Amino acid sequence: MVTFTYLNKSEKDLWLPRLFDLLYQNMESIAPLEQDCRGSLTQFLAEVSPALDKAPRQIILCLDGNDLLGYVQFYIRDTLLMVEEIQIRKDHQRTFLFYRLCRHLINVLPKSIAAIEAFADKSNLNSQNIMHKLGMEVIVDDCSSYPHLFHLRGQADTVKKYFSRMRK
């Protein structure tokens, strides 16, 4: 049975390598990381672990028992939801799981969220297409810190309507 739960931040050292493995497996064919897997893991842990120490930063895990199927990493700042990462295990991609995960996220958000932002790798056309379908538009196409990414923004109401009309 698929469940959604917030990552217990006291267990981040256990979960972060598993989250990275999922990210790495998904991205190696779409947008290969510049470093080898071990170097990329070190960089991932150095960035994500301290970020999780901040209260607004959250991760929702999608599990089947103890089996990690996916996750969404995000934070909320005022009326903005910043989605930093959504990953779904390859054998569950192009299923209804992505919609269930997003719907869960939308349902637990404060009602005050007005805008949603996210980044998409320029070589990940599937991710870009999903965001465009949700009404998100590129606001920065050359992030100086991350030149391989698009920065997109959309209205939360549009995204909420999309996921509210979807079946459970």
Side-chain angles (χ1 to χ4, degrees):
M1 181 171 141
V2 175
T3 60
F4 302 100
T5 185
Y6 281 95
L7 171 73
N8 179 342
K9 292 182 179 187
S10 68
E11 297 176 352
K12 70 179 181 176
D13 292 339
L14 169 76
W15 281 100
L16 287 179
R18 292 179 67 186
L19 300 181
F20 173 79
D21 286 345
L22 179 55
L23 169 68
Y24 190 86
Q25 289 166 10
N26 286 341
M27 294 307 290
E28 69 181 338
S29 62
I30 297 169
L33 299 170
E34 294 175 11
Q35 302 176 15
D36 66 0
C37 185
R38 224 173 70 211
S40 298
L41 173 60
T42 302
Q43 181 180 353
F44 176 83
L45 294 174
E47 291 176 9
V48 177
S49 185
L52 277 175
D53 293 333
K54 299 174 183 167
R57 198 70 75 344
Q58 299 291 327
I59 295 177
I60 295 176
L61 302 172
C62 176
L63 304 169
D64 185 359
N66 287 328
D67 198 15
L68 178 65
L69 303 180
Y71 69 94
V72 58
Q73 177 182 328
F74 65 96
Y75 65 86
I76 296 170
R77 185 181 62 232
D78 301 320
T79 61
L80 172 71
L81 167 67
M82 173 56 82
V83 178
E84 296 178 299
E85 199 69 57
I86 295 180
Q87 293 295 326
I88 302 290
R89 203 170 72 190
K90 283 185 180 183
D91 61 337
H92 284 78
Q93 292 175 3
R94 303 197 191 291
T95 70
F96 206 59
L97 189 64
F98 170 78
Y99 295 99
R100 289 184 64 194
L101 178 58
C102 291
R103 184 179 182 140
H104 177 79
L105 174 62
I106 294 298
N107 287 335
V108 298
L109 289 176
K111 302 292 183 219
S112 60
I113 297 298
I116 298 176
E117 292 185 11
F119 290 91
D121 194 288
K122 290 181 177 180
S123 60
N124 190 341
L125 298 178
N126 187 47
S127 180
Q128 293 172 51
N129 289 337
I130 290 169
M131 288 189 219
H132 288 296
K133 189 174 186 178
L134 295 173
M136 299 178 75
E137 297 179 358
V138 174
I139 57 173
V140 178
D141 68 0
D142 187 19
C143 305
S144 58
S145 301
Y146 304 99
H148 62 286
L149 299 176
F150 287 124
H151 185 175
L152 297 100
R153 182 182 180 95
Q155 296 302 310
D157 285 345
T158 304
V159 176
K160 289 176 185 177
K161 284 178 190 172
Y162 183 84
F163 288 108
S164 69
R165 71 175 187 240
M166 301 301 289
R167 294 176 288 140
K168 285 189 177 182

